[in-house]
Amino acid sequence: MKQQAIHSVVYGTKAHVNVEGEPTVSLPAELRYQTADPYAVCLSLGAPLTSPIDWLFARSLLAAGLHLPVGTGDVLVIPRHRGHPDCVRIVLRSRAEQAAVDVDTSVVRAFLLRTFELVPAGEERVHIDLDGAVAGLLEGSE
């Protein structure tokens, strides 16, 4: 019997979301990873209760954020936030506002371990379909 290859990792969890001036809200969340986009992870907030809000950012940023504060711009990752020592804080920013999202450190750690089992760090480029990407860019350009 041929074993099917695994191409994605999905971890469901709860996230505690804090927007300044609002009460903290607990939402269902998912951490997702696909080998077709090996450098990125997705944090999806709200599904299935509401239309999900998805944030895509670097897997390396999430991994580094387990150990030290990292990131600039739209996404920051902060380990062991003082108010929630067992959580990783992911700060998501837009032009209008920002949200602090706390996710259990053990969930983030387990999720990342599975992603690195699928695609080890430094081997992401092997999983990118460059021919397909170039074909997609050139499609309709004639």
Side-chain angles (χ1 to χ4, degrees), residues 68-127:
L68 60 124
V70 293
T72 59
D74 294 345
V75 180
L76 309 172
V77 183
I78 305 163
R80 296 176 299 280
H81 179 69
R82 67 181 170 276
H84 300 275
D86 297 329
C87 290
V88 173
R89 175 160 280 188
I90 303 167
V91 179
L92 306 172
R93 298 176 177 171
S94 70
R95 285 192 174 125
E97 57 190 333
Q98 73 178 27
V101 180
D102 293 325
V103 180
D104 189 292
T105 300
S106 63
V107 171
V108 174
R109 215 178 284 284
F111 167 76
L112 285 169
L113 179 64
R114 289 287 300 125
T115 72
F116 286 118
E117 288 172 354
L118 279 181
V119 179
E123 293 186 20
E124 293 90 351
R125 63 181 158 43
V126 175
H127 295 269

